[in-house]
Amino acid sequence: MNRDDEAAYREFVSVQMDQLRGLAYLTCGDWQLAEDAVCTSLAKLYARWRKVERPESYARTMVVRAAVDEVRRPWWRREQAVGDAMPEPAVRDGTPDVIDRVTVLGALRTLPVQQRAALVLRYLEGRTVQETAETLRCPEGTVKTNTARGLAKLRERLDVAEPQGSIAGPGQIERAS
């Protein structure tokens, strides 16, 4: 890699690092695993820097895939079954917005990783069903199913009624893209 490419890569990492960490955390629910996922993804991006046309999209896709892979590893399941529950983030100022975010993040962490990843990509990243399916390497129908089931579980855990006219209710498949 020449100096210009190296400088461009460093600039990209400095600008994108916090967003990539946040995306990885929302996907896997653990800051250490999120950091591992981001580092793994950025190492792969570094090796392919000159070949990648859209580094932001590539990095985000790789981070989600790496975060999902980190959670699927057998040691993680074993540690989670034996270890204590994840600690709740501290709420410092007690404002309703902060409390709501902490509550939603806590509920999001309880979802299976595929449902969590589908919800993060669809609603927090704003990706389409097709883009989400490509990122997660699964059929679009699976994305729709995971989205609908994840939303239903979130509503249940947050004790929120299903919105009137909802297209992604319990037992239904999301119809919109």
Side-chain angles (χ1 to χ4, degrees):
M1 187 179 292
N2 65 36
R3 284 186 181 187
D4 291 338
D5 289 338
E6 183 85 27
Y9 176 79
R10 287 177 188 262
E11 177 67 22
F12 172 82
V13 170
S14 68
V15 169
Q16 296 293 319
M17 182 61 94
D18 289 339
Q19 292 178 359
L20 293 174
R21 274 193 211 129
L23 175 61
Y25 174 74
L26 288 173
T27 304
C28 70
D30 181 273
W31 282 112
Q32 284 79 24
L33 292 178
E35 188 73 29
D36 290 347
V38 171
C39 288
T40 299
S41 300
L42 289 176
K44 288 179 182 179
L45 177 60
Y46 181 81
R48 301 191 56 152
W49 182 253
R50 297 176 98 184
K51 299 174 188 173
V52 175
E53 290 181 27
R54 296 183 349 221
E56 286 180 17
S57 177
Y58 180 87
R60 296 178 93 66
T61 296
M62 295 307 295
V63 163
V64 170
R65 287 180 184 170
V68 168
D69 288 346
E70 285 291 331
V71 174
R72 286 183 175 165
R73 293 178 196 262
W75 67 266
W76 172 251
R77 287 191 299 272
R78 185 174 59 247
E79 291 296 319
Q80 284 298 88
V82 175
D84 298 331
M86 290 183 186
E88 291 297 318
V91 178
R92 294 179 190 210
D93 62 358
T95 61
D97 287 344
V98 172
I99 293 169
D100 288 347
R101 270 186 253 137
V102 169
T103 303
V104 170
L105 283 174
L108 193 60
R109 282 195 311 239
T110 66
L111 297 178
V113 69
Q114 286 292 67
Q115 290 175 9
R116 186 181 327 138
L119 291 176
V120 167
L121 290 170
R122 292 281 291 125
Y123 297 108
L124 298 177
E125 286 285 303
R127 294 191 183 192
T128 65
V129 171
Q130 181 183 3
E131 291 169 336
T132 302
E134 289 170 2
T135 298
L136 297 176
R137 296 182 187 152
C138 67
E140 290 181 21
T142 302
V143 170
K144 292 176 183 181
T145 299
N146 282 330
T147 301
R149 289 179 181 167
L151 285 173
K153 285 182 183 178
L154 276 180
R155 286 186 190 111
E156 178 184 305
R157 288 183 172 101
L158 296 171
D159 197 27
V160 174
E162 182 179 333
Q164 199 67 347
S166 173
I167 57 174
Q172 297 176 340
I173 302 298
E174 180 184 31
R175 292 183 200 96
S177 296

